[in-house]
Amino acid sequence: MKIRQENQNDYEAVYEVVTKAFATAEMSDGKEQELVNALRKSNSFIPELSLVAVENKKVVGHILFTKAYVGEFTELVLAPLSVLPAYQKMGIGLALIKKGHNIAKKLGYDYSIVLGHSEYYPKAGYVPASVYGIAAPFDVLDKNFMAIKLNDMAANPHGIVKYDTAFGIN
């Protein structure tokens, strides 16, 4: 499997991957593929942090990190992470997260924040975001709103996350 930056030729395959990955997801509004399209057009989009996993020339996974703000700090939001159902539980999602974190560190980002499954994301190092003083702008269980500190020297941002308007949250 190869992980690389997404390009325009991948857009249709990514749309399909995201759609299929979330078709049976427990917590989904069924519009994650539209969110990806909207985020690509936003000011929060970071091309280097839109990654695909390719197996035998087929896109089987995708991850997207976009800018978000916590007070005066610019951080990242991981959303969404998608792997085709037939390729799930093979480590592809965790590999995408790891690669994304490595790129994010090189780009100078200090934190990544995710709203997700409390048993999955801790495998990649995520802990409740409240540990860092990061709060959600909506009601959510602490265990499902998580963050990871990418830069050990970074200060804790302390504040409420301001998502890109494409998320329809703020």
Side-chain angles (χ1 to χ4, degrees):
M1 176 190 63
K2 179 181 178 183
I3 296 176
R4 61 167 171 77
Q5 184 176 328
E6 171 194 56
N7 63 57
Q8 285 187 327
N9 295 331
D10 299 318
Y11 287 4
E12 191 175 313
V14 167
Y15 190 92
E16 183 180 325
V17 167
V18 178
T19 301
K20 288 180 178 179
F22 283 94
T24 59
E26 196 176 310
M27 294 183 247
S28 168
D29 65 2
K31 297 178 184 174
E32 288 81 4
Q33 64 279 6
E34 301 303 333
L35 175 62
V36 170
N37 286 344
L39 285 169
R40 279 191 199 111
K41 298 172 189 165
S42 77
N43 291 331
S44 298
F45 184 64
I46 306 161
E48 299 90 339
L49 289 172
S50 184
L51 306 173
V52 290
V54 180
E55 183 76 40
N56 296 323
K57 298 183 183 178
K58 178 180 181 177
V59 174
V60 299
H62 174 258
I63 194 168
L64 182 59
F65 295 85
T66 52
K67 292 181 215 168
Y69 301 92
V70 181
E72 63 191 54
F73 298 94
T74 303
E75 307 299 355
L76 295 173
V77 170
L78 186 174
L81 169 62
S82 313
V83 177
L84 285 174
Y87 291 85
Q88 292 176 4
K89 300 187 189 317
M90 299 170 79
I92 294 170
L94 290 173
L96 282 163
I97 293 171
K98 183 177 179 183
K99 179 79 169 183
H101 287 170
N102 288 338
I103 294 168
K105 285 180 198 178
K106 288 177 186 167
L107 293 175
Y109 292 97
D110 294 332
Y111 289 87
S112 174
I113 302 157
V114 68
L115 172 62
H117 200 284
S118 63
E119 292 177 22
Y120 181 76
Y121 288 95
K123 295 175 187 176
Y126 285 81
V127 297
S130 59
V131 168
Y132 303 116
I134 300 170
F138 43 78
D139 289 332
V140 62
L141 293 174
D142 199 44
K143 69 179 187 174
N144 295 112
F145 192 71
M146 296 168 273
I148 186 170
K149 192 174 195 174
L150 301 172
N151 173 1
D152 291 336
M153 305 306 288
N156 292 354
H158 294 285
I160 297 171
V161 176
K162 181 166 176 28
Y163 286 82
D164 188 279
T165 56
F167 283 94
I169 293 171
N170 297 346

